[in-house]
Coordinates of all heavy atoms in Angstrom, one line a residue:
M23 N 0.8 -1.2 0.0 CA 0.0 0.0 0.0 C 0.9 1.2 0.0 O 1.8 1.4 0.8 CB -0.9 0.0 1.2 CG -1.7 1.2 1.4 SD -2.9 1.2 2.7 CE -1.9 1.6 4.1
K24 N 0.6 2.2 -0.9 CA 1.3 3.4 -1.0 C 0.9 4.3 0.2 O -0.3 4.5 0.4 CB 1.1 4.1 -2.3 CG 1.8 5.4 -2.5 CD 1.6 6.0 -3.8 CE 2.3 7.3 -4.0 NZ 1.9 8.0 -5.2
K25 N 1.9 4.8 0.9 CA 1.6 5.6 2.1 C 1.3 7.0 1.6 O 2.1 7.7 1.0 CB 2.7 5.6 3.1 CG 2.4 6.3 4.3 CD 3.3 5.9 5.5 CE 3.0 6.7 6.7 NZ 2.4 5.9 7.7
T26 N 0.1 7.6 2.0 CA -0.3 8.9 1.6 C -0.5 9.8 2.8 O -0.7 11.0 2.6 CB -1.6 8.9 0.8 OG1 -2.6 8.3 1.7 CG2 -1.5 8.1 -0.5
A27 N -0.3 9.3 4.0 CA -0.7 10.1 5.2 C 0.3 11.2 5.5 O 1.5 11.0 5.4 CB -0.8 9.1 6.4
T28 N -0.2 12.3 5.8 CA 0.6 13.4 6.4 C 0.2 13.6 7.9 O 0.8 14.3 8.6 CB 0.5 14.7 5.6 OG1 -0.9 15.1 5.6 CG2 1.0 14.6 4.2
I29 N -0.9 12.9 8.2 CA -1.4 12.9 9.6 C -0.3 12.2 10.5 O 0.1 11.1 10.2 CB -2.7 12.2 9.7 CG1 -3.8 12.8 8.8 CG2 -3.2 12.1 11.2 CD1 -4.1 14.2 9.1
Q30 N 0.1 12.8 11.5 CA 1.2 12.3 12.4 C 0.6 11.7 13.6 O 1.1 10.7 14.1 CB 2.2 13.4 12.7 CG 2.9 14.0 11.6 CD 3.7 13.0 10.8 OE1 4.5 12.2 11.4 NE2 3.6 13.0 9.5
N31 N -0.5 12.3 14.2 CA -1.0 11.9 15.4 C -2.6 11.8 15.3 O -3.2 12.4 14.5 CB -0.7 12.8 16.6 CG 0.8 12.8 16.8 OD1 1.4 11.8 17.2 ND2 1.5 14.0 16.6
I32 N -3.2 11.1 16.3 CA -4.6 11.0 16.4 C -5.0 11.2 17.9 O -4.2 11.0 18.8 CB -5.2 9.7 15.9 CG1 -4.8 8.5 16.7 CG2 -5.0 9.5 14.4 CD1 -5.6 7.3 16.6
K33 N -6.2 11.7 18.1 CA -6.7 11.8 19.5 C -7.7 10.7 19.7 O -8.7 10.6 19.1 CB -7.4 13.2 19.6 CG -7.8 13.5 21.1 CD -8.5 14.8 21.2 CE -7.6 15.9 20.9 NZ -8.3 17.2 21.2
K34 N -7.4 9.9 20.7 CA -8.2 8.8 21.0 C -9.5 9.3 21.8 O -9.5 10.5 22.2 CB -7.5 7.8 21.9 CG -6.4 7.1 21.1 CD -5.5 6.2 21.9 CE -6.2 4.9 22.3 NZ -5.4 4.0 23.0
R35 N -10.5 8.5 21.9 CA -11.7 8.9 22.6 C -11.4 9.3 24.1 O -12.2 10.1 24.6 CB -12.7 7.8 22.5 CG -13.3 7.6 21.1 CD -14.3 6.5 21.1 NE -14.9 6.5 19.8 CZ -14.6 5.7 18.8 NH1 -13.6 4.8 19.0 NH2 -15.1 5.7 17.6
N36 N -10.4 8.8 24.7 CA -10.1 9.2 26.0 C -9.2 10.5 26.1 O -8.6 10.8 27.1 CB -9.4 8.1 26.8 CG -8.0 7.7 26.2 OD1 -7.5 8.3 25.3 ND2 -7.4 6.7 26.8
E37 N -9.1 11.1 24.9 CA -8.3 12.4 24.8 C -6.8 12.2 24.7 O -6.0 13.1 24.6 CB -8.6 13.4 25.9 CG -10.1 13.8 25.9 CD -10.5 14.5 24.7 OE1 -9.8 15.4 24.2 OE2 -11.6 14.1 24.2
E38 N -6.3 10.9 24.8 CA -4.9 10.6 24.6 C -4.4 10.8 23.2 O -5.1 10.4 22.3 CB -4.6 9.2 25.1 CG -3.2 8.7 25.0 CD -3.0 7.2 25.3 OE1 -4.0 6.6 25.6 OE2 -1.9 6.8 25.2
I39 N -3.3 11.5 23.0 CA -2.7 11.7 21.7 C -1.8 10.5 21.4 O -0.9 10.2 22.2 CB -1.9 13.0 21.6 CG1 -2.8 14.2 22.0 CG2 -1.3 13.2 20.2 CD1 -4.0 14.4 21.0
C40 N -2.0 9.8 20.3 CA -1.2 8.7 19.9 C -0.7 8.9 18.5 O -1.2 9.6 17.7 CB -2.0 7.4 19.9 SG -2.6 7.0 21.6
L41 N 0.4 8.1 18.1 CA 0.9 8.1 16.8 C -0.1 7.5 15.8 O -0.8 6.5 16.1 CB 2.2 7.4 16.7 CG 3.4 8.0 17.3 CD1 4.6 7.1 17.2 CD2 3.8 9.4 16.6
Y42 N -0.2 8.1 14.6 CA -1.1 7.6 13.6 C -0.5 6.4 13.0 O 0.7 6.3 12.7 CB -1.4 8.7 12.5 CG -2.1 8.1 11.4 CD1 -3.5 7.9 11.4 CD2 -1.5 7.8 10.2 CE1 -4.2 7.4 10.4 CE2 -2.2 7.3 9.1 CZ -3.5 7.1 9.2 OH -4.2 6.6 8.1
D43 N -1.3 5.3 12.8 CA -0.9 4.1 12.2 C -1.9 3.6 11.2 O -3.0 3.1 11.7 CB -0.6 3.1 13.3 CG 0.0 1.7 12.8 OD1 0.1 1.6 11.5 OD2 0.3 0.9 13.6
S44 N -1.7 3.7 10.0 CA -2.7 3.4 9.0 C -3.0 1.9 9.0 O -4.1 1.4 8.7 CB -2.2 3.7 7.6 OG -1.1 3.0 7.2
K45 N -2.1 1.1 9.5 CA -2.3 -0.4 9.6 C -3.5 -0.7 10.5 O -4.2 -1.7 10.3 CB -1.0 -1.1 10.1 CG 0.1 -1.1 9.0 CD 1.3 -1.8 9.6 CE 2.5 -1.5 8.7 NZ 3.8 -1.8 9.3
K46 N -3.6 0.1 11.6 CA -4.7 -0.1 12.5 C -6.1 0.1 11.8 O -7.0 -0.6 12.1 CB -4.6 0.8 13.7 CG -3.4 0.3 14.6 CD -3.4 1.2 15.9 CE -2.2 0.7 16.8 NZ -2.2 1.5 18.0
I47 N -6.1 1.1 11.0 CA -7.4 1.4 10.2 C -7.6 0.3 9.2 O -8.7 -0.3 9.2 CB -7.3 2.8 9.5 CG1 -7.3 3.9 10.6 CG2 -8.5 2.9 8.6 CD1 -7.0 5.2 10.0
T48 N -6.6 -0.1 8.5 CA -6.7 -1.2 7.5 C -7.2 -2.5 8.2 O -8.1 -3.2 7.8 CB -5.4 -1.5 6.8 OG1 -5.0 -0.3 6.1 CG2 -5.5 -2.6 5.8
N49 N -6.6 -2.8 9.4 CA -7.0 -4.0 10.1 C -8.4 -4.0 10.6 O -9.1 -5.0 10.5 CB -6.0 -4.3 11.2 CG -4.6 -4.7 10.8 OD1 -4.5 -5.2 9.6 ND2 -3.6 -4.5 11.6
A50 N -8.8 -2.8 11.1 CA -10.2 -2.7 11.6 C -11.2 -2.9 10.4 O -12.2 -3.5 10.5 CB -10.4 -1.4 12.2
I51 N -10.9 -2.3 9.3 CA -11.8 -2.4 8.1 C -11.8 -3.8 7.6 O -12.9 -4.4 7.3 CB -11.3 -1.5 6.9 CG1 -11.5 0.0 7.3 CG2 -12.0 -1.8 5.6 CD1 -10.8 1.0 6.4
F52 N -10.6 -4.5 7.6 CA -10.6 -5.9 7.1 C -11.4 -6.8 8.1 O -12.1 -7.7 7.6 CB -9.1 -6.3 7.0 CG -9.0 -7.7 6.5 CD1 -9.6 -8.2 5.3 CD2 -8.2 -8.6 7.2 CE1 -9.4 -9.5 4.9 CE2 -8.0 -9.9 6.8 CZ -8.7 -10.4 5.6
F53 N -11.2 -6.6 9.3 CA -12.0 -7.3 10.3 C -13.5 -7.2 10.1 O -14.2 -8.2 10.0 CB -11.7 -6.9 11.7 CG -12.4 -7.7 12.8 CD1 -12.1 -8.9 13.2 CD2 -13.5 -7.1 13.4 CE1 -12.8 -9.6 14.1 CE2 -14.3 -7.8 14.3 CZ -13.9 -9.0 14.7
A54 N -14.0 -6.0 9.8 CA -15.4 -5.7 9.6 C -15.8 -6.4 8.3 O -16.9 -7.0 8.2 CB -15.7 -4.3 9.5
M55 N -14.9 -6.4 7.3 CA -15.2 -7.0 6.0 C -15.3 -8.5 6.1 O -16.2 -9.1 5.6 CB -14.1 -6.7 4.9 CG -14.2 -5.3 4.4 SD -12.8 -5.0 3.3 CE -13.4 -3.5 2.5
K56 N -14.5 -9.1 6.9 CA -14.5 -10.6 7.2 C -15.8 -10.9 7.9 O -16.4 -11.9 7.6 CB -13.3 -11.0 8.0 CG -12.1 -11.1 7.3 CD -10.9 -11.8 7.9 CE -10.8 -11.5 9.4 NZ -9.6 -12.2 10.0
E57 N -16.3 -10.1 8.8 CA -17.5 -10.4 9.6 C -18.7 -10.4 8.7 O -19.6 -11.2 9.0 CB -17.7 -9.3 10.7 CG -16.8 -9.4 11.8 CD -17.0 -10.6 12.6 OE1 -18.1 -10.9 13.0 OE2 -16.0 -11.3 12.9
V58 N -18.7 -9.6 7.6 CA -19.9 -9.6 6.7 C -19.6 -10.4 5.4 O -20.4 -10.4 4.5 CB -20.4 -8.2 6.4 CG1 -20.9 -7.5 7.7 CG2 -19.4 -7.4 5.7
K59 N -18.4 -11.0 5.4 CA -18.0 -11.8 4.2 C -18.1 -11.0 2.9 O -18.6 -11.4 1.9 CB -18.9 -13.1 4.1 CG -18.7 -14.0 5.3 CD -19.6 -15.2 5.2 CE -19.4 -16.2 6.3 NZ -19.4 -15.8 7.6
S60 N -17.5 -9.8 3.0 CA -17.4 -8.9 1.8 C -16.1 -8.2 1.8 O -15.8 -7.4 2.8 CB -18.6 -7.9 1.9 OG -18.5 -7.0 0.8
G61 N -15.3 -8.4 0.8 CA -14.0 -7.7 0.7 C -12.8 -8.5 1.2 O -13.0 -9.6 1.7
N62 N -11.6 -8.0 0.9 CA -10.4 -8.6 1.3 C -9.4 -7.6 1.8 O -9.7 -6.4 1.9 CB -9.8 -9.5 0.1 CG -9.6 -8.6 -1.1 OD1 -9.2 -7.4 -1.0 ND2 -9.9 -9.1 -2.3
K63 N -8.2 -8.1 2.1 CA -7.2 -7.2 2.7 C -6.8 -6.0 1.7 O -6.6 -4.9 2.2 CB -5.9 -8.0 3.1 CG -4.9 -7.3 3.9 CD -5.3 -7.1 5.3 CE -4.2 -6.7 6.2 NZ -4.5 -6.7 7.6
E64 N -6.8 -6.3 0.4 CA -6.5 -5.3 -0.6 C -7.6 -4.3 -0.6 O -7.3 -3.1 -0.7 CB -6.2 -6.0 -1.9 CG -5.0 -6.8 -2.0 CD -5.1 -8.2 -1.4 OE1 -6.2 -8.7 -1.3 OE2 -4.0 -8.7 -1.0
N65 N -8.8 -4.7 -0.5 CA -9.9 -3.8 -0.5 C -9.8 -2.9 0.7 O -10.1 -1.7 0.7 CB -11.3 -4.5 -0.5 CG -11.5 -5.3 -1.7 OD1 -12.0 -6.5 -1.6 ND2 -11.3 -4.8 -2.9
A66 N -9.5 -3.5 1.9 CA -9.4 -2.7 3.1 C -8.2 -1.7 3.0 O -8.4 -0.5 3.4 CB -9.1 -3.6 4.3
A67 N -7.1 -2.1 2.4 CA -6.0 -1.1 2.2 C -6.4 0.0 1.2 O -6.1 1.2 1.5 CB -4.8 -1.9 1.6
Y68 N -7.2 -0.3 0.2 CA -7.7 0.7 -0.7 C -8.6 1.7 0.0 O -8.5 2.9 -0.1 CB -8.4 0.1 -1.9 CG -9.0 1.1 -2.8 CD1 -8.2 1.9 -3.6 CD2 -10.4 1.3 -2.9 CE1 -8.7 2.9 -4.5 CE2 -10.9 2.3 -3.8 CZ -10.1 3.1 -4.5 OH -10.6 4.0 -5.4
V69 N -9.5 1.2 0.8 CA -10.4 2.1 1.6 C -9.6 3.0 2.5 O -9.9 4.2 2.7 CB -11.5 1.3 2.4 CG1 -12.3 2.2 3.3 CG2 -12.4 0.6 1.4
T70 N -8.5 2.4 3.1 CA -7.7 3.2 4.0 C -7.0 4.4 3.2 O -6.9 5.5 3.8 CB -6.6 2.3 4.6 OG1 -7.2 1.2 5.4 CG2 -5.7 3.1 5.6
T71 N -6.6 4.1 2.0 CA -6.0 5.2 1.2 C -7.0 6.4 1.0 O -6.7 7.5 1.0 CB -5.4 4.8 -0.1 OG1 -6.5 4.3 -0.9 CG2 -4.3 3.8 0.1
I72 N -8.3 6.0 0.8 CA -9.3 7.0 0.6 C -9.5 7.8 2.0 O -9.7 9.0 2.0 CB -10.6 6.4 0.2 CG1 -10.4 5.8 -1.3 CG2 -11.8 7.4 0.2 CD1 -11.6 5.0 -1.8
V73 N -9.5 7.0 3.1 CA -9.7 7.7 4.4 C -8.5 8.7 4.6 O -8.8 9.8 5.0 CB -9.7 6.6 5.5 CG1 -9.5 7.3 6.9 CG2 -10.9 5.8 5.4
E74 N -7.3 8.3 4.3 CA -6.1 9.2 4.4 C -6.3 10.4 3.6 O -6.0 11.5 4.0 CB -4.9 8.4 4.2 CG -4.5 7.4 5.2 CD -3.3 6.6 4.9 OE1 -2.8 6.5 3.8 OE2 -2.7 6.0 5.9
K75 N -6.7 10.2 2.3 CA -6.8 11.4 1.4 C -7.9 12.3 2.0 O -7.7 13.6 1.9 CB -7.2 10.9 0.0 CG -6.1 10.2 -0.7 CD -6.6 9.7 -2.1 CE -5.4 9.0 -2.8 NZ -5.8 8.4 -4.1
N76 N -9.0 11.8 2.5 CA -10.0 12.7 3.0 C -9.5 13.4 4.3 O -9.8 14.6 4.5 CB -11.3 11.9 3.3 CG -12.0 11.5 2.0 OD1 -11.8 12.1 1.0 ND2 -12.8 10.4 2.1
L77 N -8.8 12.7 5.1 CA -8.3 13.3 6.4 C -7.2 14.4 6.0 O -7.2 15.5 6.6 CB -7.6 12.3 7.3 CG -8.6 11.4 8.0 CD1 -7.9 10.3 8.8 CD2 -9.5 12.1 8.9
N78 N -6.4 14.1 5.0 CA -5.4 15.1 4.5 C -6.1 16.3 4.0 O -5.6 17.4 4.1 CB -4.5 14.5 3.5 CG -3.5 13.5 4.2 OD1 -3.1 13.7 5.3 ND2 -3.1 12.5 3.4
K79 N -7.2 16.2 3.2 CA -8.0 17.3 2.8 C -8.4 18.2 3.9 O -8.3 19.4 3.9 CB -9.1 16.9 1.9 CG -8.8 16.4 0.5 CD -10.1 16.0 -0.2 CE -9.7 15.3 -1.5 NZ -10.9 14.8 -2.2
K80 N -9.0 17.5 4.9 CA -9.4 18.2 6.1 C -8.2 18.9 6.8 O -8.4 20.1 7.3 CB -10.1 17.3 7.1 CG -11.4 16.8 6.6 CD -12.1 15.9 7.7 CE -13.4 15.3 7.2 NZ -14.0 14.4 8.2
S81 N -7.1 18.3 6.8 CA -5.9 18.9 7.4 C -5.5 20.2 6.7 O -5.2 21.1 7.4 CB -4.8 17.9 7.4 OG -3.6 18.4 7.8
K82 N -5.6 20.1 5.4 CA -5.2 21.3 4.6 C -6.2 22.5 4.8 O -5.8 23.6 4.7 CB -5.0 21.0 3.2 CG -3.9 20.1 2.9 CD -3.8 19.6 1.5 CE -2.6 18.6 1.3 NZ -2.6 18.1 0.0
T83 N -7.4 22.2 5.1 CA -8.4 23.2 5.2 C -8.7 23.6 6.7 O -9.5 24.5 7.0 CB -9.8 22.8 4.6 OG1 -10.3 21.6 5.2 CG2 -9.6 22.6 3.1
A84 N -8.1 22.9 7.6 CA -8.3 23.2 9.1 C -7.8 24.6 9.4 O -6.7 25.0 8.9 CB -7.5 22.2 9.9
K85 N -8.5 25.3 10.1 CA -8.2 26.7 10.5 C -7.5 26.8 11.8 O -7.7 27.7 12.6 CB -9.4 27.6 10.5 CG -10.0 27.6 9.1 CD -11.1 28.7 9.0 CE -11.8 28.7 7.8 NZ -11.9 28.9 6.7
T86 N -6.7 25.8 12.1 CA -5.9 25.8 13.4 C -4.4 26.0 13.1 O -3.9 25.6 12.0 CB -6.1 24.4 14.1 OG1 -5.6 23.4 13.3 CG2 -7.5 24.2 14.5
K87 N -3.8 26.6 14.0 CA -2.3 26.7 13.9 C -1.7 25.4 14.4 O -2.1 24.8 15.4 CB -1.8 27.9 14.6 CG -2.3 29.2 14.0 CD -1.7 30.3 14.8 CE -2.2 31.6 14.1 NZ -1.7 32.8 14.8
G88 N -0.6 25.0 13.8 CA 0.0 23.8 14.2 C -0.5 22.5 13.5 O -1.2 22.6 12.5
E89 N -0.3 21.4 14.1 CA -0.6 20.1 13.5 C -2.1 19.8 13.7 O -2.8 20.1 14.7 CB 0.2 19.0 14.3 CG -0.1 17.7 13.7 CD 0.6 16.6 14.5 OE1 1.2 16.9 15.6 OE2 0.6 15.4 14.1
Y90 N -2.7 19.3 12.6 CA -4.1 18.8 12.6 C -4.1 17.4 13.2 O -3.4 16.5 12.8 CB -4.6 18.8 11.2 CG -5.9 18.1 11.0 CD1 -7.1 18.6 11.4 CD2 -5.9 16.8 10.3 CE1 -8.3 17.9 11.2 CE2 -7.1 16.2 10.1 CZ -8.3 16.7 10.6 OH -9.5 16.1 10.4
I91 N -4.9 17.2 14.2 CA -5.0 15.9 14.9 C -6.5 15.5 14.9 O -7.3 16.0 15.7 CB -4.5 16.0 16.4 CG1 -3.1 16.5 16.4 CG2 -4.6 14.7 17.1 CD1 -2.5 16.8 17.8
P92 N -6.8 14.5 14.0 CA -8.2 14.0 14.0 C -8.5 13.2 15.2 O -7.6 12.5 15.7 CB -8.2 13.2 12.7 CG -6.8 12.8 12.5 CD -6.0 13.9 13.0
G93 N -9.8 13.2 15.6 CA -10.2 12.4 16.7 C -10.8 11.0 16.2 O -11.0 10.8 15.0
G94 N -11.0 10.1 17.1 CA -11.5 8.8 16.8 C -12.8 8.8 16.1 O -13.0 8.1 15.2
E95 N -13.7 9.6 16.6 CA -15.0 9.7 16.0 C -14.9 10.2 14.5 O -15.6 9.7 13.7 CB -16.0 10.6 16.8 CG -16.4 10.1 18.1 CD -17.3 8.9 18.0 OE1 -18.1 8.8 17.1 OE2 -17.2 8.0 18.9
E96 N -14.1 11.2 14.3 CA -13.9 11.8 13.0 C -13.3 10.7 12.1 O -13.7 10.6 10.9 CB -13.0 13.0 13.1 CG -12.7 13.6 11.7 CD -11.8 14.9 11.8 OE1 -11.4 15.2 12.9 OE2 -11.6 15.4 10.8
I97 N -12.4 10.0 12.5 CA -11.8 8.9 11.7 C -12.8 7.8 11.4 O -13.0 7.4 10.3 CB -10.6 8.3 12.4 CG1 -9.4 9.3 12.5 CG2 -10.1 7.0 11.7 CD1 -8.3 8.9 13.3
Q98 N -13.6 7.5 12.4 CA -14.7 6.5 12.2 C -15.7 7.0 11.2 O -16.1 6.2 10.3 CB -15.4 6.2 13.5 CG -16.5 5.1 13.4 CD -17.1 4.8 14.7 OE1 -16.6 5.1 15.8 NE2 -18.3 4.1 14.6
D99 N -16.1 8.2 11.3 CA -17.0 8.8 10.3 C -16.4 8.8 8.9 O -17.1 8.5 7.9 CB -17.4 10.2 10.7 CG -18.3 10.3 11.9 OD1 -18.8 9.2 12.3 OD2 -18.4 11.4 12.4
T100 N -15.1 9.1 8.8 CA -14.4 9.1 7.5 C -14.3 7.7 6.9 O -14.5 7.5 5.7 CB -13.0 9.8 7.7 OG1 -13.2 11.1 8.3 CG2 -12.3 9.9 6.3
V101 N -14.1 6.7 7.8 CA -14.1 5.3 7.3 C -15.4 4.9 6.8 O -15.5 4.3 5.7 CB -13.6 4.4 8.4 CG1 -13.9 2.9 8.1 CG2 -12.1 4.6 8.8
E102 N -16.5 5.2 7.5 CA -17.8 4.9 7.1 C -18.2 5.5 5.7 O -18.7 4.9 4.8 CB -18.8 5.3 8.1 CG -18.8 4.4 9.4 CD -19.7 4.9 10.5 OE1 -20.5 5.8 10.3 OE2 -19.6 4.3 11.6
K103 N -17.8 6.8 5.5 CA -18.0 7.5 4.3 C -17.3 6.8 3.1 O -17.8 6.6 2.0 CB -17.6 8.9 4.4 CG -17.9 9.7 3.1 CD -17.5 11.2 3.3 CE -17.6 11.9 2.0 NZ -17.1 13.3 2.1
A104 N -16.0 6.4 3.4 CA -15.2 5.8 2.4 C -15.7 4.4 2.0 O -15.7 4.0 0.8 CB -13.7 5.7 2.9
L105 N -16.2 3.7 3.0 CA -16.9 2.4 2.7 C -18.1 2.5 1.8 O -18.3 1.8 0.9 CB -17.2 1.7 4.0 CG -16.1 1.1 4.8 CD1 -16.5 0.7 6.2 CD2 -15.5 -0.1 4.1
M106 N -18.9 3.6 2.1 CA -20.1 3.8 1.2 C -19.6 4.2 -0.2 O -20.2 3.7 -1.2 CB -20.9 4.9 1.8 CG -21.5 4.6 3.2 SD -22.6 3.2 3.1 CE -21.8 2.0 4.1
E107 N -18.6 5.0 -0.3 CA -18.1 5.5 -1.6 C -17.6 4.3 -2.4 O -17.6 4.4 -3.7 CB -17.1 6.6 -1.4 CG -17.6 7.9 -0.9 CD -16.4 8.9 -0.6 OE1 -15.2 8.5 -0.8 OE2 -16.7 10.0 -0.2
T108 N -17.1 3.3 -1.8 CA -16.4 2.2 -2.5 C -17.4 1.0 -2.7 O -17.0 0.0 -3.2 CB -15.1 1.8 -1.8 OG1 -15.4 1.5 -0.5 CG2 -14.1 2.8 -1.9
G109 N -18.6 1.2 -2.3 CA -19.6 0.1 -2.5 C -19.7 -0.9 -1.4 O -20.4 -1.9 -1.6
F110 N -19.0 -0.7 -0.3 CA -19.1 -1.7 0.8 C -20.1 -1.3 1.8 O -19.8 -1.0 3.0 CB -17.7 -1.9 1.4 CG -16.7 -2.6 0.5 CD1 -15.7 -1.8 -0.1 CD2 -16.7 -3.9 0.4 CE1 -14.8 -2.5 -1.0 CE2 -15.8 -4.6 -0.5 CZ -14.9 -3.9 -1.2
H111 N -21.4 -1.2 1.4 CA -22.4 -0.7 2.2 C -22.7 -1.5 3.4 O -23.1 -1.1 4.4 CB -23.7 -0.5 1.4 CG -23.5 0.4 0.2 ND1 -23.6 1.8 0.3 CD2 -23.2 0.1 -1.1 CE1 -23.4 2.3 -0.9 NE2 -23.1 1.3 -1.8
E112 N -22.5 -2.9 3.2 CA -22.9 -3.8 4.3 C -21.8 -3.8 5.4 O -22.0 -4.3 6.5 CB -23.1 -5.2 3.7 CG -21.8 -5.8 3.1 CD -21.5 -5.4 1.7 OE1 -22.2 -4.5 1.1 OE2 -20.5 -5.9 1.2
V113 N -20.6 -3.3 5.1 CA -19.5 -3.3 6.1 C -19.8 -2.1 7.1 O -19.7 -2.2 8.2 CB -18.2 -3.1 5.5 CG1 -17.1 -3.1 6.5 CG2 -17.9 -4.2 4.5

């Protein structure tokens, strides 16, 4: 998978700041795909690249000084949108 992320950190639901790891997103998507028997690891990686592109767009338009740090809910919403855009409605 080609790395597109410029996001360096994320804010977990407990407000803890952690390093961004695209593999965690890919693994979560793949797990969900396996649960509904739709998609594979490559599909999950592709959806992750869309998530990263969308987060990077938000990063560029954020009106904050310093680093853009997306939260867990925002990432989850972005994943759900990417799944819908790629036809994985059941995931």
Side-chain angles (χ1 to χ4, degrees):
M23 175 174 81
K24 183 179 177 185
K25 187 160 175 110
T26 60
T28 59
I29 302 297
Q30 300 296 314
N31 295 298
I32 62 163
K33 186 184 293 186
K34 294 173 75 174
R35 288 183 174 95
N36 67 1
E37 302 296 315
E38 179 184 358
I39 303 296
C40 297
L41 288 175
Y42 172 75
D43 183 358
S44 65
K45 291 176 191 164
K46 289 184 179 183
I47 293 174
T48 301
N49 289 339
I51 294 169
F52 182 53
F53 178 80
M55 287 177 163
K56 287 193 315 187
E57 286 295 309
V58 297
K59 296 177 178 51
S60 176
N62 57 37
K63 191 76 167 187
E64 290 77 26
N65 297 135
Y68 177 69
V69 172
T70 301
T71 63
I72 293 171
V73 169
E74 290 179 338
K75 287 177 186 177
N76 289 335
L77 289 174
N78 286 330
K79 284 180 190 175
K80 289 181 184 181
S81 174
K82 291 176 184 173
T83 60
K85 297 193 185 283
T86 59
K87 293 182 179 180
E89 182 184 7
Y90 168 71
I91 302 175
E95 290 291 328
E96 181 179 359
I97 293 170
Q98 181 177 344
D99 292 345
T100 305
V101 168
E102 290 173 6
K103 182 179 176 188
L105 286 166
M106 295 299 114
E107 289 173 0
T108 55
F110 291 102
H111 304 276
E112 65 280 0
V113 179

